[in-house]
Amino acid sequence: MPIAKKVTNKSVIQKVAAKKVIAKSAAAKTPKASKAAASSDVGLPLSLVIRRRIQAQKARFHANDNISQFIQPGELDRLVDEVAEKMQAVLESLVIDTQSDHNTQGTSRRVAKMYVQEVFKGRFVEQPTLTKFPNVSRLNELMIIGPITVRSACSHHFCPIMGRVWIGVLPSKDSALIGLSKYSRLTEWVMCRPQIQEEAVVELADMLEKKIKPIGVAIVMDADHFCMQWRGVKDPDSKMVNSVMRGAFLKDSNLRREFLSLLEKR
């Protein structure tokens, strides 16, 4: 019996020693800076934690920027909780009784989910996957995709921007081709952010040039701005139309004229 007890004790000692070695090894692999950052984040609002990650990388986080790379799995649900809490404070500051008013009970959470998961989701989720196909047939004729319905929001007043986008592409034999639905998905991803229309169409043109590498890209956007129709001058007929022309569309007036004339027939 004493021998068995001695062996058992030795076995226990070996296991404990092994655990200490593993723990020490894991600690060595974890940078001290990361440990310090993790401990300093405890108890802070999630928005501040994300903001610090962005600032640590010296990245930009304007209203129309995508910050998905700084958001970890599961954090968007927590972000909704934080936005809902702060939206509740806004309702209270507007002197709205959310306790007895059945119409505004739960409004703060509905607004939070709308902002994070819908109208501003282009800030928080990764770019949609774009399946590319080789231009086997060496197509080099004008393609027009649209009208694509777009929904965005003015970054000045968070009022809706509702409109349509047309995309013109002149591929080369070396261009990549993407499915038609991908144009709509990419457009939605860019537009679902607080921004101004002039910058939105430029960003969309930049992305299409980078992804497809065509001879030319053209984009036209026609939209209603509720910051002019709902408030301010309250002009219900005001619209904004703007265009971006790149490559062949900028240099070749005949190609540009063909693209614009085809839009007029739609």
Side-chain angles (χ1 to χ4, degrees), residues 217-228:
V217 168
I219 297 175
V220 170
M221 182 171 173
D222 175 354
D224 294 302
H225 288 247
F226 281 57
C227 57
M228 290 184 65

Side-chain angles (χ1 to χ4, degrees), residues 202-257:
V202 169
E203 182 172 355
L204 182 57
D206 289 343
M207 296 188 68
L208 289 172
E209 272 195 311
K210 182 179 178 181
K211 295 293 180 182
I212 305 174
K213 293 182 172 51
I215 297 174
V217 168
I219 297 175
V220 170
M221 182 171 173
D222 175 354
D224 294 302
H225 288 247
F226 281 57
C227 57
M228 290 184 65
Q229 300 178 358
W230 192 24
R231 58 161 298 283
V233 295
K234 296 181 179 178
D235 183 352
D237 298 320
S238 292
K239 286 181 177 289
M240 180 175 181
V241 181
N242 66 324
S243 65
V244 175
M245 303 288 167
R246 299 281 178 80
F249 287 95
L250 184 62
K251 299 174 183 176
D252 189 338
S253 59
N254 291 327
L255 177 64
R256 184 167 61 250
R257 192 178 302 113

Side-chain angles (χ1 to χ4, degrees), residues 176-187:
L177 301 179
I178 61 175
L180 290 180
S181 66
K182 304 306 181 184
Y183 289 97
S184 295
R185 293 185 187 279
L186 190 61
T187 300

